[in-house]
Amino acid sequence: MSILIDEHSRVIVQGITGDKATFHAREMIAYGTNIVGGVTPGKGGQRHLDRPVFDTVKDAVKATGATASLAFIPPPFAGDALMEAADAGLNLVCIITDGIPAQDMMTVKRYLMRYPRERRTTLVGPNCAGIISPGRAMLGIMPGHIYKRGNVGVVSRSGTLGYEAAAQLAALGLGISTSVGIGGDPINGSSFRDHLQRFENDPDTAVVIMIGEIGGSQEAEAAVWVHASMTKPVIGYVAGLTAPKGRRMGHAGAIIAGGKGTAAEKIKALEAAGSRVAPTPSDMATTLMAMMKK
């Protein structure tokens, strides 16, 4: 499907009995997300939040028909949990965890490549806010009440700036088709390009806001793809324009190395691809409105 989740998605929560997972799973259930169970090794056979708990992801998938998971797994064990989810055949795994060792994520990405593309698990995160299709399903830790249903797709490295975009759009009477937080780590499961391609194929999305930041090359690579293949308008914003070189700014991946990955460099790439770029975070929605009036 062109979007990642909807009201028909059957979701399990990995680590469901932990306090953070419990809080956010309860919020997702209240939002309408179809959570069908959870996984906590050693607690199989119990019930939590009136959902069955299983020892393994394979057991959960077999019993519930789950297609997606939200993972709240401590950093030392997160890599194994992601590979377990892929091995169980889940279509989508969204992992919130911050602080997963980069080497573990390299192992996970290599592991995923053993599967054919059509059966390969889509991984969103780590260190992300999650995914929401307003009014349909929420898979993450975002405040669901600020999201209004509409036709604007949002993909962001920063969870907080994704919330900011949602609030700005709602204030102007606009809404979101799907918002995806890809996470701020140097190695993440899916890229801007991956999700821009989904938005390009999504009939419910008319325009996309792409929120980047300093560090890495994802935004520049996405700009090349936008220029070559994207038919829908893309509004960009890149955080960190005044960030000093060599200093990490918040996210582990937000660091300029060797003069590469600066905000100015990424803004130039986006503008060269024909995208409008908002000058400040508070201008994301108004920049979109200005573009729509043309």
Side-chain angles (χ1 to χ4, degrees), residues 21-259:
T22 297
F23 176 85
H24 291 291
R26 187 179 286 117
E27 293 289 304
M28 289 188 290
I29 291 168
Y31 193 81
T33 305
N34 185 23
I35 294 181
V36 295
V39 177
T40 300
K43 295 189 178 181
Q46 299 181 18
R47 293 188 71 83
H48 188 69
L49 301 178
D50 200 30
R51 268 66 176 175
V53 179
F54 301 90
D55 286 321
T56 70
V57 179
K58 276 188 176 179
D59 289 344
V61 170
K62 183 177 180 180
T64 66
T67 57
S69 82
L70 181 67
F72 289 90
I73 307 295
F77 315 110
D80 285 344
L82 293 175
M83 290 185 284
E84 179 190 357
D87 194 43
L90 290 175
N91 297 328
L92 168 68
V93 179
C94 178
I95 181 159
I96 306 301
T97 309
D98 185 6
I100 300 176
Q103 186 169 341
D104 289 1
M105 282 306 301
M106 291 170 64
T107 300
V108 169
K109 295 200 75 168
R110 286 188 59 126
Y111 187 86
L112 291 175
M113 294 300 291
R114 70 171 59 190
Y115 295 96
R117 183 174 294 276
E118 63 273 13
R119 292 199 301 111
R120 190 176 304 157
T121 301
T122 297
L123 175 59
V124 175
N127 191 11
C128 76
I131 311 155
I132 185 170
S133 290
R136 303 180 74 176
M138 177 172 71
L139 194 67
I141 61 173
M142 62 281 291
H145 66 277
I146 69 172
Y147 289 81
K148 174 183 171 67
R149 184 77 189 160
N151 64 1
V152 181
V154 177
V155 56
S156 175
R157 283 172 68 181
S158 165
T160 307
L161 288 177
Y163 309 159
E164 176 68 21
Q168 286 182 30
L169 290 168
L172 293 175
L174 300 173
I176 287 172
S177 56
T178 298
S179 179
V180 183
I182 63 173
D185 278 6
I187 301 173
N188 49 14
S190 51
S191 67
F192 280 120
R193 175 175 168 171
D194 294 330
H195 297 291
L196 288 170
Q197 192 163 1
R198 285 183 176 272
F199 284 130
E200 174 69 8
N201 296 328
D202 177 25
D204 294 331
T205 298
V207 60
V208 179
I209 295 178
M210 186 180 97
I211 305 171
E213 61 186 31
I214 61 169
S217 59
Q218 280 199 46
E219 293 85 351
E221 291 164 1
V224 172
W225 188 84
V226 167
H227 181 69
S229 305
M230 192 94 178
T231 62
K232 298 176 181 179
V234 176
I235 308 301
Y237 172 69
V238 182
L241 191 61
T242 60
K245 294 181 181 180
R247 183 173 299 173
R248 185 168 73 103
M249 304 296 289
H251 287 150
I255 185 168
I256 301 166

